[in-house]
Amino acid sequence: MSSKPKGNAEPQAISGQAAQTRAPSVGNAERDQEIRRRAYEIYLERGEQPGRELDDWLQAERELEGGVLAQAG
């Protein structure tokens, strides 16, 4: 005999935001590419010193998000 729980075998519905975080969309891939490109520019501007990749990524995110917010407003 099977010990599987009885009940609804259908997958549960996922909210819109939860679905976006689980499956990256093409838009997210493009956004990541823009962040990656800007983070590399920041790295070059810093004199190509390694060890601050996360700082560069986060700065690039902030800059690009700021630009998007400025365009939307």
Side-chain angles (χ1 to χ4, degrees):
M1 295 205 99
S2 176
S3 62
K4 290 195 305 189
K6 294 180 182 178
N8 188 357
E10 305 248 347
Q12 297 294 319
I14 301 173
S15 72
Q17 182 145 356
Q20 290 176 354
T21 58
R22 288 187 180 188
S25 68
V26 173
N28 285 344
E30 291 173 7
R31 177 182 172 271
D32 284 354
Q33 185 61 33
E34 289 179 29
I35 294 169
R36 185 175 294 111
R37 190 175 304 121
R38 178 59 188 136
Y40 182 69
E41 291 172 357
I42 293 167
Y43 163 77
L44 293 176
E45 290 169 4
R46 283 192 300 102
E48 301 178 35
Q49 298 173 354
R52 295 189 48 206
E53 293 84 3
L54 180 58
D55 292 333
D56 295 344
W57 182 274
L58 295 174
Q59 179 180 340
E61 266 188 328
R62 285 190 304 270
E63 289 178 8
L64 293 171
E65 287 175 4
V68 168
L69 291 175
Q71 291 175 357

